[in-house]
């Protein structure tokens, strides 16, 4: 999205916490969201598509992540059925997420975002080039992080109690400005909190009513591990990725990204970070833009705001790196010139940058 958030100048000096969208503080500084222990009096959901142990023990296939393992079966109407999640891919995606080499949304599916994250991790860890899921990759990920990849979490009243807003519909931002930018359902909120798709969340917990507190669900065991200080950022438009480096030139984070389009190109060359705006309002001003139509409007802050939960302002007017209301589309669609990440990836990056950090578009 190519537009500076409203009141940005008032926010640039605010220190951005890792969970800028207002998630609960991590429990003991380890699992994101403060996972509650499961007591015997709490309701346990019926088993889902995979059990905890099936995911923990699954071994990814020793082939390029871009390769398809099995053809999608045909549905009764003769059309290809949706590819089912792979427990080994869930495990791999969680490990990549915890390493800061983000696969984007954890959905248990092979895809381009996962392939690129694997290739970036292999290069950074001197495991060779390419995207092969081999023994060296698995050993490196497992050695770096031996904790379980799945855990149980008990839904709290705060998880299920709202407030909620209608799903954004169409391009009329005045409607969203009036209706709000909160999550549309408790299931959407919980899925984003644990970096996963709503489909996978439901498949792992098929009997759960996500509007009900006190139910134990199976979710990724995320780890709140902040980045070291970022010394420079590279935005790779061809690869649709954002890469963060430390002062020694080491690649410390990789994020899939949505970057520009044919009609609304992203910048080229060198810019710098100007500042960070957590939970920004979004100002749509058609007089300053080359896209869209309608009246000037301010869309309030919220996770489903057009620029998501955080904005990293860049030194070219109206351009930034920011979050998104639809994490499942990252790397799969175009933006209006800016650089869009999942909210959680944008928050992690924003917490590790300072004004003056160089940002190179290649």
């Amino acid at each position: 999205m190519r537009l500076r958030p409203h009141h940005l100048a008032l926010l640039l000096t605010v220190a951005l916490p890792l969970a800028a969208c207002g998630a609960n503080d991590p429990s003991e500084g380890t699992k994101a969201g403060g996972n509650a222990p499961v007591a015997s009096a709490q309701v346990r959901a019926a088993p889902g598509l995979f059990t905890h142990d099936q995911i923990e023990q699954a071994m990814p296939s020793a082939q390029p992540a871009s390769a398809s393992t099995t053809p999608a079966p045909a549905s009764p109407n003769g059309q290809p059925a949706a590819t089912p999640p792979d427990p080994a891919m869930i495990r791999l995606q969680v490990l990549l997420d915890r390493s800061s080499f983000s696969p984007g949304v954890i959905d248990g599916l092979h895809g381009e975002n996962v392939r690129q994250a694997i290739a970036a991790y292999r290069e950074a860890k001197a495991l060779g080039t390419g995207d092969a899921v081999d023994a060296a990759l698995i050993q490196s990920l497992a050695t770096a992080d031996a904790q379980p990849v799945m855990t149980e979490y008990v839904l709290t009243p705060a998880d299920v109690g709202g407030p909620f807003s209608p799903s954004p519909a169409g391009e009329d931002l005045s409607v969203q400005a009036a209706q709000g930018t909160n999550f549309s359902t408790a299931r959407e909120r919980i899925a984003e909190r644990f970096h996963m798709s709503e489909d996978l969340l439901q498949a792992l917990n098929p009997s759960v009513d996500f509007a009900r507190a006190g139910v134990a669900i199976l979710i990724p065991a995320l780890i709140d591990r902040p980045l070291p200080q970022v010394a420079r950022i590279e935005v790779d438009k061809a690869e649709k990725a954002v890469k963060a480096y430390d002062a020694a030139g080491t690649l410390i984070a990789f994020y899939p990204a949505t970057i520009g389009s044919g009609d609304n190109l992203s910048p080229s060359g060198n810019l710098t970070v100007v500042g960070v705006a957590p939970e920004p309002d979004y100002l749509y001003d058609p007089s300053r833009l080359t896209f869209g139509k309608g009246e000037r409007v301010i869309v309030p802050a919220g996770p489903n705001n057009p620029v998501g939960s955080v904005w990293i302002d860049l030194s070219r007017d109206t351009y930034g790196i920011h979050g998104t209301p639809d994490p499942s589309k990252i790397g799969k669609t175009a933006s209006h010139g800016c650089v869009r990440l999942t909210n959680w990836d944008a928050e992690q990056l924003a917490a590790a940058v300072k004004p003056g950090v160089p940002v190179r578009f290649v």
Side-chain angles (χ1 to χ4, degrees):
M1 189 66 68
R2 186 182 59 144
L3 188 62
R4 180 168 296 185
H6 186 55
H7 298 324
L8 178 64
L10 300 179
L11 295 168
L12 292 181
T13 59
V14 175
L16 179 71
L18 185 61
C21 58
N24 295 335
D25 290 335
S27 174
E28 304 298 325
T30 55
K31 294 177 182 175
N35 297 349
V38 179
S40 58
Q42 292 164 332
V43 179
R44 292 179 183 271
L49 185 63
F50 307 115
T51 66
H52 178 284
D53 288 344
Q54 285 175 320
I55 297 172
E56 294 290 347
Q57 297 168 11
M59 183 60 65
S61 175
Q63 62 179 347
S66 52
S68 175
T69 54
T70 57
S75 63
N77 63 10
Q79 298 298 316
T83 303
D86 177 351
M89 185 54 60
I90 297 172
R91 180 185 177 212
L92 181 60
Q93 288 175 328
V94 174
L95 290 172
L96 286 167
D97 180 283
R98 298 196 315 205
S99 74
S100 299
F101 286 74
S102 173
V105 173
I106 297 168
D107 57 10
L109 302 175
H110 295 266
E112 186 66 9
N113 290 348
V114 179
R115 184 199 69 75
Q116 290 182 330
I118 292 169
Y121 183 91
R122 292 182 66 88
E123 182 178 356
K125 305 301 181 181
L127 298 176
T129 59
D131 60 353
V133 183
D134 57 16
L137 174 73
I138 301 304
Q139 182 177 3
S140 177
L141 286 165
T143 300
D145 194 338
Q147 298 185 56
V149 299
M150 303 299 291
T151 190
E152 285 188 329
Y153 173 77
V154 178
L155 297 178
T156 69
D159 291 324
V160 305
F164 300 111
S165 302
S167 297
E171 297 184 358
D172 189 348
L173 293 178
S174 63
V175 174
Q176 191 181 22
Q179 294 181 336
T181 60
N182 300 300
F183 291 118
S184 58
T185 64
R187 189 178 77 166
E188 181 190 13
R189 170 190 282 161
I190 295 159
E192 176 147 333
R193 180 176 180 181
F194 296 105
H195 305 181
M196 62 194 307
S197 70
E198 290 187 64
D199 286 346
L200 181 60
L201 175 63
Q202 191 72 71
L204 294 177
N205 305 280
S207 65
V208 170
D209 175 1
F210 290 97
R212 179 186 177 189
V215 179
I217 61 173
L218 182 65
I219 46 87
L222 303 183
I223 294 177
D224 184 356
R225 185 177 291 128
L227 291 181
Q229 188 65 43
V230 171
R232 67 180 176 92
I233 297 170
E234 182 177 282
V235 179
D236 190 322
K237 292 186 282 187
E239 194 172 356
K240 296 183 181 178
V242 171
K243 303 173 184 178
Y245 297 84
D246 65 14
T250 301
L251 178 63
I252 57 174
F254 172 95
Y255 308 112
T258 292
I259 306 172
S261 69
D263 296 327
N264 298 282
L265 298 176
S266 293
S268 295
N270 299 319
L271 304 180
T272 58
V273 171
V274 174
V276 169
E279 299 186 59
D281 294 337
Y282 174 74
L283 169 62
Y284 173 73
D285 186 349
S287 68
R288 302 177 64 196
L289 302 172
T290 59
F291 65 89
K293 58 183 178 179
E295 302 296 324
R296 186 178 185 275
V297 63
I298 297 174
V299 182
N304 282 345
N305 178 295
V307 294
S309 62
V310 68
W311 171 277
I312 301 172
D313 195 42
L314 302 181
S315 55
R316 182 170 297 180
D317 190 33
T318 76
Y319 285 93
I321 301 172
H322 61 82
T324 181
D326 194 346
S328 67
K329 293 183 178 178
I330 291 299
K332 302 177 177 67
T333 58
S335 75
H336 289 298
C338 274
V339 181
R340 186 182 297 138
L341 310 177
T342 66
N343 280 338
W344 55 88
D345 287 343
E347 290 166 10
Q348 184 183 63
L349 179 62
V353 299
K354 294 180 178 179
V357 168
V359 180
R360 184 177 178 228
F361 285 76
V362 298

